[in-house]
Structure formats: structure tokens, C-alpha cells
Amino acid sequence: MLYDTLIRNARVIDGSNTPGYSADVAIRAGRIERIADLRDARAIEEIDAAGRVLAPGFIDVHTHDDTVVIRQPQMLPKLSQGVTTVIVGNCGISASPVSLRGEPPDPMNLLGTAQAFVYPGFDDYRSAVEAATPAVNVAALVGHTALRSNHMDDLLRTASVGEIAAMRQQLRESLEAGALGLSTGLAYANAFSASTDEVMQLTQELSAFGAVYTTHLRSEFEPVLEAMDEAFQIGRHARSPVIISHLKCAGAGNWGRSPQVLAALENAAKTHPVGCDCYPYAASSSTLDLKQVTDAHRITITWSTPHPHMGGRDLADIAAEWDVPLLEAARRLQPAGAVYYGMDESDVRRILAHPLSMVGSDGLPEDPFPHPRLWGAFPRVLGHFSRDIGLFALHTAVHKMTGLSAARFGLKDRGEIREGHWADLVLFDPHTIRDVADFNEPQRAAEGIDGVWVNGVLSYREGRANGRRHGRFLAREGDLRRGFSSSPGA
């Protein structure tokens, strides 16, 4: 038999959180056909892995790539770090279903200007992704703030009975069309006024589909435990799994509280399917929020509509140059984006290492001076956190970005190297892999990624994308609750 691709002499770390083993891996018709000693086999394309690690393609569970997968389908920031699947629609922000009446409300503007929002129905978005054939697979959540903006004339209040009914119908239609579930971004002003009851009523649509509820908590600062309680209450009411987005202890007054936060997560997991994602940095990035302006830590402006030349500069320096207080400088810069150096490294490590935690980049591809997580999150976990400081074994690091993620989001036949699974694969050198992007030069490809296959097609090799784009839209398959049925992290 002639295979399409044969990867010889690989150290296979299969995504199941078990140590690696040596094997050859054969691909045919987009799937992994054999894993064995295949020294006598032949293929159209043969690659000698020379003992390097062959892992499942990384799954970025927390992205804001909704519109960029269509407009820039080569997806180099993700492909170059070994990501083969992105989950979009996080933090209450999604490109669909959306019908704008003007400019996108904050924080939907993180996805682009009004011209980027041309998908009134989820089916429209799905069709656009399929037509664009991005270099990575795409699965999508529906954003709560997107639904609110479709049906409410004032986002600074809770929704009426009629508005909730209209949002529920649109959410139900999206779930029927393959959406993974509902996301909220309750910390943002345009969703903060939504009552717990409003969200609970919306999430009632999830159970019949086995869909998931993901949430950017109402607060990641001092009231974080209360915000987690609200999320778990919503999930229990909906009989739906809960994934807390980018779990963190934000703000200098909140540093050191990760044991409490993780204890709350563990306690909830005893009786309900829950998990979280996090990114491997002690700085966050979003729109410039006046409530987060402080002199307790550094804040860097990433973009500003009225003052674009201030991108890349610290807010404190801008305020000093203008001879105004920090808050006034922030007001003048809006609308704008910012990086907040508002976390403690020990909290980041503790959360990242927890068995319930997946890896997500939370990168912002529209940002002209992005947080380096857009280009470096996954190699940073493998290089810095696993190899250099020994936070966890390499096979555990891989599991957190592959097998665990696929199970939680129901990505069938993905996330593990198994015969019959789709051949989403990444070949990397465990000794040299590292994130190169940093806060000064954030748009730099990682080192140590030797090959990336998406649905069996080699799309990135030795630091270069080859233009072959074979990503697919991944509709929700089955009941996502099943992916939480095993023990935490398993």
C-alpha cells in the first residue's frame, strides 16, 4: 500500500497525558491510518522526524480569530506555532449572528470595524469560513454581547422578556447550525448590566443540544469568587458544562489568591462539569477599560483611534507627556486597546499547571501592536514552562493543548494521535522550541516548529507556510457533557 504521507522515527506524544513512544505514523485520505514500525512501507511524501516530537495539532480554545480566518485565511500567527484548530466566539464576542446598526459596540470592535460583520446568521458565517478554506480548522461559539446588540437599543440595562425571547431564538438557530454553545463577557460594560437571570434564561437553550457555556467572568478582580459562583449557578441551571475563560487573579490587590480560586473550581467540579482555560503570561490585553486604569502596574497602549501614533507606548508616559492624570489620558485615547501587566507570575503558574486547565492564546489578531500571546502562547508552554522551569512534564503540556481541549469541546477524532483520527499534527524539536515574540517585538514566529499538518496536508514546514490551506469548519458533534465525564484533567 502507498500512503499519502509517512513520518518516520518520531517520538509520538499522543495527547492522552502519557509519556511518548517511538513509532512511524502513516497518513492517508486526511486521517492517521497506521502507527507502528513501518520501515517497509512507502508513501508519496516521506519525512524523517529524527526523534523529534510528533504531537496532535494544538487546539487554541480561546481565540478572537472570528473574522481573520476569513479575511486572512493563511492564519500564520497560529499555524506557525503548531495550532491546527481555533475556537472563536469567546468572551461574548462573535462575528455571527450579528446585524449591526452602526459601529460594533465595545468589545466587539476587537474583531474589526463594521465592515467585518456581514454574517446575520450563524449559517452565513459557517458558509463564509468554508468558502475561505482557512489554513486551520474553525469551531465557533455564539457571543452573548453579539445577541444583545442585535435585539437591544440600550446595552446598559438588562434585557426585557421580548428581547430575551428573540435572543433565545437566534441562539437556538445557531446551535441547530452547529455552534458549540454560548459565551459571555460579563465584565464588559455592554454586558455587565445583564442580570444573572437574563443569562440563565438564554442558557436554557443549551441543554437540549449538549452545548457548552463559556464565560469571561463578571469580575476577575476582588469579587472573582462571587463571579465564579454566578458562572456555576448558571451552568447548573442550564445543565450545561461551564468553562471559565482565561482564569486569573487580576489586579495587584488580588495577587496570591489562586489557591482559593482553584479550590472553588475543584469544588464545583465535584458535582458539575467545569473547566477553565488560561494563557501563559502575567499580562492581559483587551480594550482600554477606564475601570482598570491604575498606577499599581504598567499599562501599554496597543492602539488608539484618535491617537494611533501612541500604539506601543506606556499609558504613564503618554499621561506625563500630556501633563494630565492617567485617567484623563485614557479618556483621550479611547477607543483604544491596552496590555495590562496586572497578574502575579506565581498565580499564572499555579493556574496553568492545574489539571482542569487548558491552554488558550486569547490573542487579538486585529491589534496593530498585539500581546505576544498571539504568536507565542503554545511554544511558550512547551519551551519556557515545561522544559525550562519544569512546571509539568512535556506530555502533560501537550495534553493541555490537545486531548483535553478536544474532549471538552467535543472535537470528534481530533486531539490525539490515534489510528482513524484526523491527521492534525505538529512536529517540533523539544530542545529548541520557544516563543520568540515578546512585548517589544510581538509579531515574530516561534522557533522549533518543524512541520504542521492540517487534515493530513503539510501546511507549514521549517519556518514557512507553503500556501496549502485545508482547514474545515467543525460543527458541534454530540453532547459536550461527555467530554467532562472522566476524572479532572483525564
Side-chain angles (χ1 to χ4, degrees), residues 277-291:
D277 67 62
C278 65
Y279 46 80
Y281 299 85
S284 61
S285 181
S286 188
T287 51
L288 179 59
D289 178 5
L290 297 182
K291 293 185 295 183

Side-chain angles (χ1 to χ4, degrees), residues 4 27 40 43 48 71 75 122 173 177 180 201 220 225 252 305 326 344 356 383 392 407 416 418-419 444 453 465:
D4 294 333
I27 301 168
D40 297 326
D48 184 1
R71 292 182 291 108
M75 291 299 292
F122 191 86
E173 291 168 352
L180 294 172
Q201 289 191 57
E220 297 171 326
L225 294 177
T305 298
L326 282 179
D344 180 71
L356 286 169
F392 31 55
E416 293 189 5
R418 294 186 183 275
E419 292 181 355
R444 299 172 69 193
W453 289 260

Side-chain angles (χ1 to χ4, degrees), residues 18 48 62 69 73 94 190 194 199 207 268 271 322 343 369 395 422 463 490:
T18 54
D48 184 1
H62 193 105
V69 294
S94 60
N190 285 317
V199 182
S207 182
T271 57
W322 289 349
M343 288 177 270
F369 193 83
H395 63 264
W422 289 102

Side-chain angles (χ1 to χ4, degrees), residues 78 105 140-141 197 207 411 418 440:
K78 296 302 169 67
L141 296 154
D197 182 66
S207 182
L411 304 180
R418 294 186 183 275
N440 295 316

Side-chain angles (χ1 to χ4, degrees), residues 1-3 5-6 8 24-26 34 36-44 46:
M1 177 186 294
L2 186 69
Y3 296 109
T5 302
L6 185 55
R8 299 188 184 276
D24 305 325
V25 176
R34 296 262 342 255
D37 180 344
L38 300 172
R39 70 185 70 186
D40 297 326
R42 292 292 174 263
I44 297 168
E46 298 190 17

